[in-house]
Amino acid sequence: MTRILTIEDDAVTAREIVAELSSHGLDVDWVDNGREGLERAVNGNYDLITLDRMLPELDGLAIVTTLRTMGVATPILMISALSDVDERVRGLRAGGDDYLTKPFATDEMAARVEVLLRRQNTVTAQATTLRVADLELNLISHEASRDGQLLTLLPTEYKLLEFLMRNTGQILSRMMIFEEVWGYHFDPGTNLIDVHIGRLRKKIDPPGNVPLIRTVRGSGYVIAEPL
């Protein structure tokens, strides 16, 4: 059975998470403080972790940073009442795979967990092919296809798509994209990203296909399985 660790100090929120995920057939353990949560995350062999940002004894940001430093690659859904863009970016850069703000709908939380679990099952560190729904990216041949149809990508479009697909389900800010794809450590104040996202959408999400690339207003872009 798929095992989930929920690290959450608010008992009401924790019970909601446990009940919802358990109803989807997942085995959920709950701890209510950061120090024990980190210990369980390291030693518990979990398939996914839901992690509150604000915790007693050890902060959620410190937990995710420590886990990634130790090489623990377990997918992490960060959950927090801190909803501004800077906090989301900090959580994602520290190693979180997704970020959900409180209050949240439990069915959305469960859907995000399912997406991260699917991603974990299909994309590993040794993977030669990235997949999101019927979109595939071959990391060896640098070829992309959707529904079996080969797509013609320019080099920068390929690099942008690879970055999006390596972070499936994760909102990527403009600054994150500039740094990874173009090597800029500042926003040049151009529509460079918008142009390339627009070109990718024409090739990947033509009329008749379920859109995979989404714009998250005020936050950035994300590619994800249709929910």
Side-chain angles (χ1 to χ4, degrees), residues 6 127 134 147 165 179:
T6 290
D134 56 354
D147 194 24
M165 292 182 71
E179 288 182 352

Side-chain angles (χ1 to χ4, degrees), residues 116-185:
L116 289 177
L117 288 172
R118 284 201 301 269
R119 173 185 167 194
Q120 177 71 359
N121 290 335
T122 57
V123 181
T124 67
Q126 293 78 34
T128 59
T129 302
L130 303 179
R131 294 183 181 86
V132 179
D134 56 354
L135 175 65
E136 294 190 3
L137 189 68
N138 188 303
L139 301 177
I140 303 300
S141 65
H142 284 202
E143 291 180 335
S145 63
R146 181 156 193 199
D147 194 24
Q149 300 297 312
L150 199 63
L151 307 175
T152 302
L153 300 180
L154 297 173
T156 303
E157 293 169 352
Y158 172 87
K159 193 172 182 181
L160 175 58
L161 180 60
E162 180 183 351
F163 184 45
L164 289 169
M165 292 182 71
R166 284 191 182 275
N167 296 277
T168 301
Q170 176 176 322
I171 299 171
L172 301 176
S173 70
R174 292 174 60 87
M175 195 65 256
M176 293 166 73
I177 294 173
F178 273 128
E179 288 182 352
E180 178 67 24
V181 178
W182 280 275
Y184 297 164
H185 297 287

